[in-house]
């Protein structure tokens, strides 16, 4: 254990008013701070109703005090928690008192960093803590939880053990050069091949889970006045964009994160795509083009009271291959009939009355590249996918070294690089830069 001598403290609940507010303390002085604040002896894991008092014996608030004895705590250190009323003033006074008793303010993610450094969790699990806090859909929360309880980590550990086995097999032959040095090659090769298969399956799950890391982008385009801004407002349930009968109202890119049937997506309202002489409008149209290039799904909106146009073709020139384009025919409330027939790529709606919106939401969700089976998703970060791909390359290299009859040292070298890759992934040998980047993304108090 690194054995920190300093004790850290932070408010763990979000800013603002709330029924409850929580302060966490972690480090060697936790017990002394507990005693000084409450005037009582802590019993590990027992919730105590106490009066939290300042050094001049004035009551700051009454609430619950909790004490956890090392190593049986989140951080692996002695910790205490104060649950008081959720007032910033009360929490501020209590935190000041804790600091004056010898603790210092915790940095973002420092509690989780200590948990990592005290081997309570590995780096992938630490990242899952942040992902769980940031998760904005049920699916994202569930799969971050899977990583947190170690499902992803144990797959990595399992693979690491098997690669280690293969390396031991190859290196054992090195120790007995007088024997047939290729005797262990077939079992090692079989082991590596099975690792490649397992890793490929893992990569597929990690790729499927990337949508949880980056929300899919749904971009709304169309001619002026067709109802693009009305649509983003309807989908998001807030007045994100100005709606007006004046054509060319929206010139900026408007962004709104929303949950559609439990899926988190980021919606963009745009100025649309059109030729224009107006300098400001042109900037808006440029922004729309850029958004289109990154879109996963494009909602190409038309005013159904007007004739058809060639928007779909114009959009296709700007989107990435694989992006889904849905034609949205709006303002059906003005069309004097209601026997519209939706198809796979086309839906009739009224952004004003809400008619057809359920069908549109269903179409968007059907086109999100998400595997329905939560167990088959891994909430993967870019860092994980890059590391898994590098490991895959090294395994492939080891296989071709074996096939080419390269020396045993060369064969073992690729496997050694693989093992380093696993250790970087779980944080066993990760550089301070990577650790700093991971923990600085946390909120204070976690
Ligand atoms: N009746 C009816 N009017 C609609 C509907 N959707 C939008 N409108 C009206 O159409 C006009 C234009 O709507 P906006 O949502 O501002 O259209 P836009 O495409 O964002 O327009 P620009 O930003 O100017 O390109 C407004 O007067 C809206 O009230 C609809 O479904 N039915
Ligand atoms: Mg608009």
């Amino acid at each position: 254990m690194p054995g920190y001598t300093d004790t850290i403290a932070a408010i763990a609940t979000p800013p603002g008013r709330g029924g409850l507010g929580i302060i966490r303390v972690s480090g060697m002085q936790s017990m002394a701070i507990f005693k000084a604040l409450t005037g009582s002896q802590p019993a590990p894991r027992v919730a105590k109703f106490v009066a939290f008092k300042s050094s001049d014996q004035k009551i700051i608030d009454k609430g619950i005090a909790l004490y956890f004895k090392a190593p049986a705590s989140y951080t692996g250190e002695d910790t205490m928690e104060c649950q008081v009323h959720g007032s910033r003033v009360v929490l501020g006074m209590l935190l000041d008192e804790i600091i004056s008793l010898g603790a210092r303010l915790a940095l973002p993610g420092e509690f989780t960093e200590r948990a990592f450094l005290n081997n309570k969790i590995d780096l992938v699990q630490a990242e899952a803590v942040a992902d769980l806090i940031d998760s904005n859909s049920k699916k994202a929360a569930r799969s971050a939880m899977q990583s947190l309880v170690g499902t992803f980590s144990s797959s990595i550990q399992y693979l690491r053990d098997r690669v280690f086995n293969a390396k031991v097999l190859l290196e054992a032959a090195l120790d007995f050069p007088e024997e047939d040095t290729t005797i262990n090659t077939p079992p090692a090769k079989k082991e590596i091949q099975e690792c490649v298969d397992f890793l490929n399956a893992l990569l597929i799950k990690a790729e499927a889970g990337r949508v949880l890391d980056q929300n899919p982008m749904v971009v709304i385009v169309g001619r002026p006045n067709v109802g693009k801004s009305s649509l983003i407002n309807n989908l998001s349930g807030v007045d994100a964009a100005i709606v007006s009968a004046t054509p060319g109202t929206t010139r900026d890119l408007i962004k709104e994160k929303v949950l559609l049937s439990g899926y988190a997506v980021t919606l963009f309202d745009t100025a649309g795509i059109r030729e224009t002489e107006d300098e400001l409008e042109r900037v808006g149209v440029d922004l729309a083009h850029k958004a289109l290039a990154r879109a996963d799904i494009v909602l190409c909106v038309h005013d159904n009271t007007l004739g058809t146009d060639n928007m779909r073709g114009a959009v296709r020139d700007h989107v990435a291959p694989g992006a889904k384009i849905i034609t949205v025919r709006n303002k059906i409330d003005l069309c004097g009939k209601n026997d519209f027939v939706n198809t796979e790529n086309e839906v009739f709606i009224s952004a004003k009355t809400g008619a057809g919106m359920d069908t549109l939401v269903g179409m968007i969700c059907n086109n999100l590249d998400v595997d329905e089976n939560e167990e088959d998703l891994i909430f993967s970060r870019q860092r994980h996918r890059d590391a898994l791909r590098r490991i895959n390359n090294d395994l492939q290299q080891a296989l071709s070294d074996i096939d080419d009859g390269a020396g045993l040292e060369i064969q073992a070298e690729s496997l050694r690089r693989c093992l380093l890759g696993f250790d970087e992934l779980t944080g066993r040998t990760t550089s301070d830069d990577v650790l700093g980047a991971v923990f600085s993304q946390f909120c204070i108090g976690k």
Side-chain angles (χ1 to χ4, degrees):
M1 271 197 195
Y4 291 99
T5 51
D6 56 349
T7 297
I8 54 174
I11 300 172
T13 37
R17 288 172 71 221
L20 277 183
I22 296 175
I23 292 182
R24 300 174 110 177
V25 182
S26 180
M28 289 175 5
Q29 293 176 71
S30 296
M31 182 188 277
I33 292 173
F34 187 109
K35 285 187 198 160
L37 277 180
T38 68
S40 67
Q41 192 72 22
R45 295 172 171 269
V46 175
K48 265 192 161 179
F49 183 66
V50 296
F52 293 101
K53 290 185 184 166
S54 56
S55 52
D56 53 5
Q57 294 307 301
K58 290 204 174 103
I59 295 181
I60 300 172
D61 196 3
K62 287 186 170 180
I64 304 287
L66 275 161
Y67 171 72
F68 299 89
K69 188 160 177 47
S73 73
Y74 179 71
T75 56
E77 302 175 326
D78 273 6
T79 62
M80 84 163 288
E81 259 182 49
C82 313
Q83 299 180 6
V84 292
H85 292 103
S87 137
R88 291 322 272 179
V89 178
V90 168
L91 287 165
M93 290 196 307
L94 192 54
L95 186 60
D96 284 348
E97 195 59 35
I98 292 169
I99 303 291
S100 72
L101 288 166
R104 70 163 169 82
L105 276 182
L107 300 170
E110 205 173 1
F111 291 92
T112 307
E113 186 173 10
R114 287 192 176 190
F116 164 71
L117 292 169
N118 287 327
N119 291 324
K120 300 289 284 189
I121 50 174
D122 68 24
L123 193 58
V124 170
Q125 288 171 301
E127 289 168 319
V129 172
D131 293 337
L132 185 60
I133 293 172
D134 289 342
S135 62
N136 46 15
S137 71
K138 282 189 233 164
K139 211 170 262 270
R142 279 199 209 112
S143 67
M145 196 62 215
Q146 289 280 325
S147 285
L148 182 54
V149 298
T151 313
F152 188 24
S153 300
S154 47
S155 293
I156 298 166
Q157 189 56 43
Y158 169 78
L159 261 178
R160 189 191 185 281
D161 290 348
R162 305 247 350 225
V163 172
F164 186 76
N165 257 350
K167 181 168 152 288
V168 169
L169 281 170
L170 291 175
E171 285 177 342
L174 274 176
D175 295 336
F176 303 101
E178 65 283 1
E179 311 267 325
D180 173 10
T181 54
T182 59
I183 182 132
N184 283 339
T185 304
K189 187 176 169 187
K190 181 166 175 285
E191 194 78 357
I192 298 169
Q193 187 57 56
E194 284 173 15
C195 287
V196 169
D197 296 342
F198 188 92
L199 183 64
N200 279 330
L202 197 63
L203 259 169
I204 289 171
K205 292 182 189 183
E207 287 292 346
R210 71 182 302 161
V211 289
L212 303 172
D213 183 24
Q214 299 151 337
N215 284 353
M217 282 178 62
V218 178
V219 176
I220 304 174
V221 292
R223 300 252 175 257
N225 230 25
V226 293
K228 300 179 294 298
S229 299
S230 305
L231 181 57
I232 196 174
N233 291 352
N234 190 313
L235 285 171
S236 63
V238 294
D239 287 338
I242 298 172
V243 168
S244 132
T246 316
T249 307
T250 309
R251 292 174 171 203
D252 222 337
L253 199 59
I254 292 167
K255 180 176 169 186
E256 201 57 44
K257 283 189 182 176
V258 299
L259 270 190
L260 301 179
S261 305
Y263 296 103
V265 302
T266 306
L267 291 173
F268 289 84
D269 179 20
T270 68
I273 48 176
R274 58 175 179 271
E275 296 300 323
T276 172
E277 291 305 313
D278 182 288
E279 176 64 25
L280 254 185
E281 263 184 60
R282 204 173 17 236
V283 177
V285 173
D286 266 0
L287 285 174
H289 284 163
K290 289 199 179 112
L292 270 181
R294 292 167 49 218
D296 297 287
I297 296 177
V298 181
L299 304 182
C300 187
V301 185
H302 300 260
D303 181 338
N304 201 50
T305 63
L306 308 174
T308 50
D309 55 44
N310 62 351
M311 269 303 289
R312 214 184 152 89
V315 166
R316 198 168 289 292
D317 291 342
H318 291 284
V319 297
K324 170 80 184 176
I325 304 174
I326 299 175
T327 298
V328 179
R329 302 218 174 267
N330 189 30
K331 306 198 187 181
I332 56 167
D333 56 307
L334 298 178
C335 294
K337 59 168 200 165
N338 52 14
D339 54 347
F340 299 101
V341 181
N342 297 321
T343 64
E344 197 195 328
N345 297 317
E346 186 175 46
V347 58
F348 292 83
I349 65 152
S350 166
K352 192 164 189 170
T353 67
M357 290 301 293
D358 287 352
T359 314
L360 173 59
V361 168
M363 273 169 95
I364 295 173
C365 294
N366 283 341
N367 283 291
L368 294 173
D369 212 4
V370 187
D371 198 321
E372 266 313 305
N373 190 351
E374 268 121 30
E375 282 70 52
D376 280 348
L377 285 182
I378 292 172
F379 195 137
S380 69
R381 296 178 168 211
Q382 186 72 39
R383 188 182 83 79
H384 306 151
R385 295 189 293 271
D386 288 349
L388 291 177
R389 278 189 217 107
R390 273 200 306 276
I391 292 168
N392 200 13
N393 288 345
D394 287 332
L395 287 176
Q396 302 286 358
Q397 184 62 48
L399 282 179
S400 56
D401 287 343
I402 290 176
D403 287 343
D404 297 349
L408 281 175
E409 281 99 344
I410 294 174
Q411 296 172 18
E413 179 54 31
S414 300
L415 298 182
R416 226 186 327 270
R417 275 203 309 276
C418 271
L419 293 178
L420 285 177
F422 288 120
D423 291 348
E424 270 175 34
L425 195 53
T426 55
R428 219 191 272 201
T429 57
T430 307
S431 73
D432 287 350
D433 288 355
V434 173
L435 292 184
V438 167
F439 291 107
S440 63
Q441 291 165 359
F442 276 70
C443 45
I444 292 199
K446 194 63 212 180

